[in-house]
Amino acid sequence: MTAATGTEPLVRARNVHKAFERLEVLKGIDLDVMPGEVVVILGPSGSGKSTFLRCINHLEAIDAGSIMVGGEQMGYRLKNGHLVKLSANAIALQRRKIGMVFQQFNLYPHMTVLQNIIEAPVGVHGESRASAVDNAKQLLARVGLSDKLNSYPRQLSGGQQQRVAIARALAIRPELMLFDEPTSALDPELVGEVLNTMRDLAGQGLTMIVVTHEIGFAREAADRVVFMDGGHIVEAGRPDEVLGNPQHPRTQAFLSRFL
Amino acid sequence: MSNEHAIAASPSGDAAARDVASAHTPFRYGQLILWIVVGAVVVNFAWIVANNENFGWPVVGQYFFDPTVVQGLYVSLGLTVIAMALGIALGLVLAVARMSSDPLASTLSAWFVWFFRGTPLLVQLIFWYNMSTLFPTLSIAIPFGPTLASWDTNSVITPMTAAIAGLALNEAAYMAEIIRGGLLSVDRGQAETAEAFGMTRMRALWRIIIPQAMRSIVPPTGNQLISMIKATSLVSVIAMADLLYSVQSIYNRTFEIIPMLLVAVIWYLLITSILNVGQGYIERYYSRGERRTGGAAQGAKPAAAAVAGEASH
Ligand SMILES: Nc1ncnc2c1ncn2[C@@H]1O[C@H](COP(=O)(O)OP(=O)(O)OP(=O)(O)O)[C@@H](O)[C@H]1O
Ligand SMILES: [Mg+2]
């Protein structure tokens, strides 16, 4: 699972700063994620985890620093040695290699499960309908929802919706998957089915950045755990190190709540 | 599996509770009496109206399909369709412009809505009709620069184009606000998701946002459409022979004012009834994701429980 050393990182964040009005949310984040690596971001509420995740696919523009994904700087390009802001459509192109799963699922409620999944492959990536439908069926089988092809999102339980959302993100064949608290909106008995799906993906070598409060998932599935607090990464390392023997008092305080 | 749970959850000594499947609804006499009274009043009133000679029903029948009336009906319907279509299209552009982060676009849109909602439609129509006295020629030119093309205003602004321009621009102002309200009613997360999946703004609007906004756009638009049908009667002031104008032109000759107005009234009611039915269909179409009990879901329920159970252990 652990990425081979020597290859280029898929995600390279350097000194990322982000403020909303006067509120400084990210105060210099550095993070490299290697291809195939599963990074879990932990941290108290308001520490900037979601904001950082949204900066990676440029849903939020950063104020300073840089974020590279797959060798491209998100939101900008170099022109005659100067950094130039990309147009909205060019940024849309950059995002095509990044899948995202949201806390509130955000399935398209007016579309069936199948339509939800093939929307981006057909409409954004130009995949043929037939092949997108084939792929969608395989993905639904993978998340255990083959019989829900023609259901609408509202007819599904939260856990089922989130698994469809994962299938939808996988359908664009992403190089990188971002998960923002994918189980936080779920009833406790539904958390397991979503985490199982994510564990499968982690095992299959997909590069994932996961914001979650599921310490158990971090322990089992993560290659690296990153602990954020107050807009900084205060501690990062192998799950057994960070979770088993946290060094920073903030991390210790945070983890003690889960014991 | 779920059956066992159900049995276990209900103590067997619970004799007072009977299966609701065997329950029957008590007959509601009060409601029946109310129905009879209301029914009697309605039928009686209809009888009185039908037998009142002052309404001139034979005349109504005689003129109902009169060529002048039918011609007027076509004008009213044609104007409604064209003005509404243009109004919705322009309203959509205005709504999107108003919501854009571009200050120029949103300001221009706001001014447009302010002006065309804030002045009487009748006055707007008269202005369009009299455009030639205000601007004798219409030109395409570079501002403060050379003229590229120019036309005689009278040849461009006929009563027909004046009516369409007046109705459509006024309608656009109202539709812009209706559409904007609809777009705002869609969960912010939807636009964000579309964006995260690499959709362009246009595509996100077209495929994700607008279909969801339609649920709150359609009912007030139905209202607008019905108002528009009646608003077309205003164009008679600029010499357009719409439905109302045609029946007026007939009763000016025959003096059968009430029967001729009844002809118009019945036509208007017929059209709005058809539109109501159409609106019902459209609303049902756009609420298709809303119902929890779709055919697909019902058939799939037992299997779903099995899969969920399998996945969560
Ligand atoms: N669009 C925004 N405008 C203004 N402030 C924002 C915005 N988004 C986030 N914030 C603020 O930034 C801070 C960090 O938010 P963020 O959502 O990144 O935290 P988080 O670590 O994901 O927390 P949680 O665990 O509760 O999801 C919070 O104080 C939040 O109020
Ligand atoms: Mg968050």
Side-chain angles (χ1 to χ4, degrees):
Chain A
M1 242 196 295
T2 313
T5 46
T7 52
E8 282 290 297
L10 181 61
V11 180
R12 163 166 289 191
R14 283 289 174 275
N15 192 29
V16 172
H17 285 261
K18 172 72 186 174
F20 294 109
E21 314 281 302
R22 289 217 166 63
L23 178 70
E24 254 201 305
V25 177
L26 302 179
K27 301 170 185 165
I29 301 283
D30 293 294
L31 183 70
D32 281 357
V33 179
M34 303 305 281
E37 202 179 12
V38 176
V39 173
V40 168
I41 303 180
L42 299 175
S45 184
S47 55
K49 308 179 298 291
S50 300
T51 305
F52 178 56
L53 212 59
R54 292 157 51 78
C55 288
I56 293 175
N57 63 358
H58 206 76
L59 283 178
E60 302 282 2
I62 60 178
D63 302 330
S66 68
I67 294 178
M68 310 274 287
V69 178
E72 278 183 63
Q73 183 153 3
M74 293 305 290
Y76 299 86
R77 77 193 155 93
L78 233 73
K79 191 180 172 191
N80 307 329
H82 294 282
L83 210 52
V84 186
K85 266 192 187 153
L86 286 175
S87 69
N89 285 358
I91 295 171
L93 278 176
Q94 288 188 325
R95 290 191 182 113
R96 298 183 0 170
K97 55 184 179 245
I98 306 173
M100 191 163 194
V101 174
F102 301 83
Q103 182 172 352
Q104 301 297 338
F105 330 135
N106 291 5
L107 292 176
Y108 310 129
H110 59 300
M111 294 182 179
T112 63
V113 165
L114 179 67
Q115 289 167 336
N116 262 279
I117 296 176
I118 68 172
E119 177 61 29
V122 174
V124 178
H125 296 248
E127 192 175 340
S128 81
R129 219 191 124 79
S131 114
V133 169
D134 263 5
N135 188 38
K137 286 179 178 165
Q138 284 174 26
L139 288 169
L140 279 174
R142 213 160 129 190
V143 299
L145 291 173
S146 291
D147 56 332
K148 295 298 183 186
L149 210 62
N150 295 314
S151 300
Y152 283 97
R154 281 208 181 105
Q155 298 164 344
L156 305 179
S157 74
Q160 293 171 336
Q161 288 191 47
Q162 193 61 298
R163 284 185 282 154
V164 171
I166 292 173
R168 174 177 69 170
L170 291 174
I172 64 169
R173 300 186 170 86
E175 292 172 33
L176 171 67
M177 280 279 275
L178 307 175
F179 293 83
D180 191 0
E181 301 198 27
T183 57
S184 295
L186 297 176
D187 290 338
E189 73 269 25
L190 300 178
V191 168
E193 59 188 77
V194 172
L195 290 182
N196 278 341
T197 304
M198 289 171 60
R199 223 170 271 137
D200 287 349
L201 297 177
Q204 287 158 13
L206 185 66
T207 314
M208 296 167 44
I209 304 179
V210 183
V211 173
T212 185
H213 293 296
E214 296 293 334
I215 305 291
F217 175 80
R219 190 174 289 123
E220 293 163 36
D223 296 310
R224 192 144 47 103
V225 171
V226 169
F227 182 77
M228 272 181 78
D229 189 42
H232 296 282
I233 292 181
V234 298
E235 193 161 351
R238 292 211 324 268
D240 51 332
E241 291 168 353
V242 176
L243 301 173
N245 183 22
Q247 299 302 311
H248 197 282
R250 293 282 189 168
T251 321
Q252 289 163 358
F254 179 79
L255 289 173
S256 67
R257 276 187 277 140
F258 291 92
L259 298 177
Chain B
M1 191 175 90
S2 57
N3 276 337
E4 287 163 21
H5 279 295
I7 290 164
S10 124
S12 48
D14 213 354
R18 294 258 217 101
D19 190 347
V20 296
S22 65
H24 44 82
T25 318
F27 193 79
R28 294 159 74 184
Y29 292 99
Q31 199 173 38
L32 179 71
I33 291 167
L34 206 60
W35 271 103
I36 291 171
V37 170
V38 172
V41 170
V42 168
V43 169
N44 187 242
F45 183 72
W47 181 260
I48 292 168
V49 170
N51 285 294
N52 186 331
E53 290 186 358
N54 297 330
F55 281 94
W57 292 111
V59 182
V60 173
Q62 185 189 337
Y63 280 100
F64 199 69
F65 293 107
D66 187 275
T68 317
V69 172
V70 171
Q71 189 60 41
L73 182 67
Y74 282 151
V75 170
S76 283
L77 283 180
L79 269 181
T80 302
V81 169
I82 294 171
M84 204 65 202
L86 291 175
I88 290 173
L90 183 56
L92 176 63
V93 173
L94 287 167
V96 171
R98 181 74 187 274
M99 290 170 74
S100 84
S101 52
D102 184 291
L104 180 65
S106 70
T107 309
L108 284 179
S109 167
W111 281 358
F112 182 100
V113 172
W114 168 77
F115 182 80
F116 283 97
R117 275 203 317 185
T119 53
L121 175 56
L122 188 62
V123 177
Q124 288 174 27
L125 284 169
I126 294 171
F127 265 79
W128 282 107
Y129 187 54
N130 293 300
M131 194 62 100
S132 61
T133 58
L134 302 172
F135 306 101
T137 59
L138 294 179
S139 315
I140 295 177
I142 296 161
F144 305 109
T147 300
L148 303 177
S150 113
W151 298 270
D152 178 16
T153 305
N154 269 328
S155 67
V156 181
I157 306 286
T158 61
M160 177 65 98
T161 50
I164 291 174
L167 292 172
L169 293 184
N170 187 264
E171 191 56 38
Y174 283 92
M175 283 310 301
E177 287 299 280
I178 290 174
I179 294 172
R180 190 166 70 96
L183 297 179
L184 286 174
S185 76
V186 179
D187 175 20
R188 177 81 196 97
Q190 292 287 313
E192 199 159 78
T193 307
E195 211 183 326
F197 274 85
M199 289 190 206
T200 60
R201 296 250 165 85
M202 274 303 279
R203 193 178 168 83
L205 197 64
W206 201 244
R207 294 283 302 169
I208 308 300
I209 308 301
I210 289 178
Q212 295 180 56
M214 287 305 268
R215 270 169 52 75
S216 45
I217 291 176
V218 170
T221 303
N223 250 349
Q224 288 300 112
L225 185 58
I226 286 167
S227 309
M228 172 66 92
I229 290 168
K230 292 178 291 176
T232 53
S233 61
L234 285 175
V235 302
S236 55
V237 300
I238 57 172
M240 279 287 287
D242 76 307
L243 180 56
L244 191 62
Y245 184 92
S246 345
V247 301
Q248 282 170 336
S249 72
I250 295 173
Y251 71 59
N252 284 341
R253 251 187 307 114
T254 64
F255 302 108
E256 290 173 308
I257 298 178
I258 297 296
M260 288 319 294
L261 285 178
L262 279 175
V263 169
V265 163
I266 294 171
W267 272 119
Y268 282 124
L269 279 177
L270 268 177
I271 297 164
T272 47
S273 308
I274 294 169
L275 291 176
N276 280 337
V277 173
Q279 184 180 337
Y281 279 110
I282 294 175
E283 281 179 21
R284 229 159 302 150
Y285 175 78
Y286 282 109
S287 66
R288 64 193 182 281
E290 286 300 313
R291 284 156 304 195
R292 287 221 59 161
T293 49
Q298 269 168 2
K301 272 274 156 60
V307 170
E310 200 178 292
S312 57
H313 57 58

